[in-house]
Amino acid sequence: MTRGQHLDGGRVLITGGGSGIGRRMALEAARRGAHVIIWDLSAPAAETVCAQITAAGGTARHQTVDVADRDVVDEAAATLIADVGGVDVVINNAGIVSGTRLLDTPAAAIERTFDVNVLALYWVTRAFLPGMIERRRGTVVTIASAAGLVGVARQTDYSASKWAAVGFTESLRNELRADGHPVATLTVCPYYIDTGMFAGVTTRFPRLLPILQEDDVARRTIEAIERGREQLIMPALVATLPGLRLLPTRLFDRINDVLGVNATMDHFTGRVGTPARRG
Ligand SMILES: NC(=O)c1ccc[n+]([C@@H]2O[C@H](COP(=O)([O-])OP(=O)(O)OC[C@H]3O[C@@H](n4cnc5c(N)ncnc54)[C@H](O)[C@@H]3O)[C@@H](O)[C@H]2O)c1
């Protein structure tokens, strides 16, 4: 059984909370009365968000953590648990993108994508799940992507990592249900968001497939946690993808081409020089 999670008075850990939707979710969770913990590679970015939260009357702290480093995650989690006694909501949000074709993507970039977007889910979730199971409450959130529901040109590493993120969370949900643990999971699959991570992407039909706004995605994610939802897919058209897969593959690909999905990355630049891309 899963259930909603009142954030007021709860402790919410957000990886990659120094920027983009992570930052917005941190501000939104704090506004609803949560004590926010930010894990980010960038200490200045995380500090700035914490300062904004405290200036608005909320409470927040941060730790400089590379979520891809298992030892660093374990150490930071032990410190945090000793300080605050565990967390109620883990939002696995930190993510990176290469945005290049398979043959143009260095091996190290492919590995880093899987380290940050996939393996970190295991290290971070394993650090906090035992406490949630013991307290018989908690929510594990995975920020996946629409790219976790459809493979897109120039995203062989990113899309595959997000498919893994969707599979990770679905398996975890079923494992928790099978074992009777009342810990909730939420998978979030948004289309492109205006954070800068995917700077340069274009969309052919903005009414059907709009570039989402980061504050909107963050607010809807926090609301989904509070309501105990298992899945949040944005916008609505993206939710039809699993059904479209009943069509012959060539027709499925053609529909995506007509929608411009495989051309979205043609002018991708990404946010060059950020900590996320330096990795
Ligand atoms: N922006 C989009 O279009 C979009 C669309 C769908 C899904 N997403 C997903 O949403 C999540 C957040 O994306 P965003 O657009 O807000 O990104 P962003 O680049 O604005 O923020 C990512 C944050 O993660 C941090 N980070 C990166 N690697 C880290 C690591 N190893 N350890 C700790 N922190 C690390 C960065 O420092 C940064 O603060 C990602 O998982 C991304 O894949 C983004």
Side-chain angles (χ1 to χ4, degrees):
M1 185 196 76
T2 57
R3 59 188 182 186
Q5 179 90 44
H6 292 294
L7 296 187
D8 194 7
R11 288 151 301 194
V12 178
L13 170 71
I14 305 173
T15 69
S19 169
I21 60 168
R23 170 178 168 271
R24 292 282 185 171
M25 289 190 287
L27 297 172
E28 187 66 32
R31 204 176 62 75
R32 290 165 191 248
H35 175 69
V36 170
I37 304 109
I38 292 175
W39 279 9
D40 205 290
L41 275 180
S42 167
E47 260 165 39
T48 304
V49 182
C50 288
Q52 280 179 291
I53 289 173
T54 46
T59 61
R61 69 177 68 200
H62 71 90
Q63 291 167 283
T64 306
V65 176
D66 177 353
V67 292
D69 187 324
R70 185 155 38 111
D71 292 336
V72 170
V73 166
D74 285 346
E75 202 177 308
T79 305
L80 184 63
I81 290 167
D83 280 1
V84 305
V87 302
D88 303 297
V89 179
V90 170
I91 306 183
N92 285 304
N93 166 74
I96 56 171
V97 60
S98 310
T100 41
R101 288 183 176 79
L102 176 63
L103 297 182
D104 298 331
T105 313
I110 296 169
E111 285 174 353
R112 184 69 182 164
T113 297
F114 280 86
D115 281 344
V116 177
N117 294 7
V118 183
L119 291 180
L121 303 175
Y122 292 79
W123 315 146
V124 175
T125 306
R126 279 162 53 103
F128 296 102
L129 190 59
M132 292 182 180
I133 290 173
E134 198 182 308
R135 290 189 300 279
R136 298 187 58 75
R137 68 165 196 278
T139 306
V140 177
V141 182
T142 306
I143 306 297
S145 169
L149 302 171
V150 61
V152 179
R154 288 179 63 169
Q155 293 189 8
T156 54
D157 55 346
Y158 183 78
S159 177
S161 75
K162 293 301 184 180
W163 278 75
V166 171
F168 166 80
T169 319
E170 187 164 299
S171 294
L172 178 64
R173 181 178 80 229
N174 286 313
E175 199 170 288
L176 291 166
R177 280 194 316 116
D179 292 342
H181 297 309
V183 174
T185 62
L186 167 65
T187 310
V188 183
C189 295
Y191 188 60
Y192 297 114
I193 315 165
D194 64 354
T195 62
M197 178 182 182
F198 276 88
V201 296
T202 52
T203 190
R204 187 173 292 167
F205 297 106
R207 277 174 192 266
L208 284 176
L209 290 171
I211 305 284
L212 304 168
Q213 295 181 341
E214 62 175 29
D215 53 347
D216 194 39
V217 174
R219 182 184 43 77
R220 289 182 61 186
T221 301
I222 295 295
E223 282 171 5
I225 296 169
E226 289 195 319
R227 290 179 189 159
R229 286 186 61 177
E230 282 96 5
Q231 189 167 268
L232 177 61
I233 300 176
M234 295 168 272
L237 187 66
V238 174
T240 64
L241 277 167
L244 288 177
R245 287 188 179 281
L246 295 172
L247 297 169
T249 305
R250 282 186 189 176
L251 185 53
F252 177 76
D253 287 350
R254 184 77 193 113
I255 290 170
N256 283 314
D257 286 347
V258 169
L259 288 170
V261 172
N262 288 302
T264 53
M265 296 288 286
D266 285 358
H267 304 289
F268 169 88
T269 57
R271 203 193 288 109
V272 181
T274 62
R277 286 175 66 86
R278 278 203 301 271

